[in-house]
Amino acid sequence: MSDAMESFSSPFPLEKQFEGFRLQLEESGSIRERIRSVVMEMESAVRLMQYSILLVHQSLPVSEVLEKAKVQTSTLMELFQRLAGILEECPGQYYRYHGDWRGETQTVVSLLAFLHWLETGNLLSHSEAEEKLGLNPSEFGLDIEDYLIGLCFMSNEMPRYVVNQVIAGDYDSPKKVLKFLTDLHAAFRMLNLRNDFLRKKFDGMKYDLRKVEEVYYDVKIRSQSSVESKQENVTHS
């Protein structure tokens, strides 16, 4: 009985186990510190990129907006490469640390998607987003949900863009944006969204679409009224 109690109370197996825990936690903490250092630089680049893109709402030529924003795109590519390098040291641990850069990635996707739309009028595909960030899907890729959430964030910019374009005299933009958002919204409806946050952001896209529809119909009604008024003037003259 005493031998059994002595074996049970022996501290060595417990110490060995917790020594292993200590080493693992220290290693994980070190990796997180390095990741956080890169993410802080990423946050700075994102802010500069957001500032550049906001200039499009002030009727700055799209070419100038693209030129300013693309400077930060190359910086972000370099930062994502650094993250990939850190994760190479701990294979199979991508989703253990993924939350440390998830928010920044979603914002980056939204900015890249908006820039791509301004430049081409088309949706930035998942593979194109990975290419712009220099990511290798087999080693360090772009999480699909991050990509989709980024697209939802991008749609939030569309109503403001449409309003400012109309104020600047571009009455064709509402129709263009409405078609783009309608197609995007329809594509999202094909998905079975299990991520609560993603589903919530997708629900927000409906309001973006509705706001753009309101601008489109308002412009259309005003245009028809203007035509009818001109026709009446011609008739009376």
Side-chain angles (χ1 to χ4, degrees):
M1 183 68 177
S2 61
D3 290 344
M5 288 295 293
E6 183 179 350
S7 176
F8 179 79
S9 62
S10 174
F12 296 110
L14 197 61
E15 288 182 359
K16 185 175 181 180
Q17 176 180 246
F18 273 77
E19 175 64 15
F21 291 161
R22 184 183 68 80
L23 293 174
Q24 290 179 42
L25 290 172
E26 286 184 357
E27 180 182 4
S28 177
S30 175
I31 291 172
R32 287 191 186 281
E33 286 181 8
R34 293 167 61 194
I35 290 174
R36 183 56 189 162
S37 176
V38 176
V39 170
M40 288 178 66
E41 293 185 52
M42 196 176 290
E43 290 171 350
S44 178
V46 166
R47 284 195 296 271
L48 291 173
M49 194 171 183
Q50 285 175 321
Y51 170 75
S52 299
I53 293 176
L54 286 175
L55 296 175
V56 77
H57 297 304
Q58 300 177 17
S59 300
L60 192 73
V62 172
S63 58
E64 291 187 35
V65 173
L66 294 172
E67 184 180 354
K68 291 177 180 294
K70 284 181 178 180
V71 173
Q72 299 307 318
T73 301
S74 59
T75 300
L76 288 166
M77 178 185 289
E78 179 187 341
L79 292 171
F80 272 98
Q81 290 298 308
R82 285 169 55 186
L83 278 181
I86 295 172
L87 268 293
E88 283 181 4
E89 301 174 17
C90 43
Q93 300 293 308
Y94 178 94
Y95 282 104
R96 180 179 183 181
Y97 300 104
H98 172 234
D100 293 343
W101 67 83
R102 177 190 294 148
E104 287 69 28
T105 301
Q106 295 165 359
T107 302
V108 167
V109 169
S110 72
L111 297 175
L112 291 177
F114 189 48
L115 286 172
H116 186 77
W117 181 81
L118 287 173
E119 188 172 21
T120 68
N122 298 317
L123 179 68
L124 177 73
S125 70
H126 180 264
S127 60
E128 288 172 331
E130 286 188 319
E131 183 179 347
K132 286 180 180 293
L133 295 174
L135 301 180
N136 185 337
S138 63
E139 299 173 3
F140 185 100
L142 173 61
D143 180 79
I144 293 176
E145 289 186 351
D146 287 344
Y147 167 74
L148 293 173
I149 291 171
L151 296 185
C152 291
F153 286 152
M154 180 266 293
S155 81
N156 298 157
E157 284 296 317
M158 292 303 188
R160 181 182 178 188
Y161 173 79
V162 166
V163 170
N164 287 325
Q165 288 299 108
V166 170
I167 291 174
D170 180 1
Y171 302 112
D172 294 326
S173 62
K175 182 179 180 180
K176 176 183 175 183
V177 175
L178 180 59
K179 182 182 185 311
F180 174 77
L181 275 187
T182 300
D183 291 345
L184 182 60
H185 185 266
F188 262 85
R189 290 180 64 85
M190 296 171 60
L191 306 176
N192 181 16
L193 302 178
R194 300 181 181 274
N195 181 309
D196 290 340
F197 183 71
L198 174 55
R199 187 167 60 249
K200 181 178 179 181
K201 300 313 295 181
F202 168 61
D203 288 342
M205 190 185 295
K206 291 185 294 188
Y207 297 102
D208 299 329
L209 182 57
R210 186 179 304 169
K211 290 175 184 176
V212 173
E213 283 179 337
E214 290 173 354
V215 176
Y216 170 72
Y217 291 130
D218 185 55
V219 168
K220 190 173 183 179
I221 291 171
R222 289 175 182 272
S223 176
Q224 289 177 342
S225 298
S226 177
V227 170
E228 291 174 358
S229 177
K230 289 180 179 178
Q231 289 175 343
E232 288 180 4
N233 291 335
V234 170
T235 302
H236 289 310
S237 62

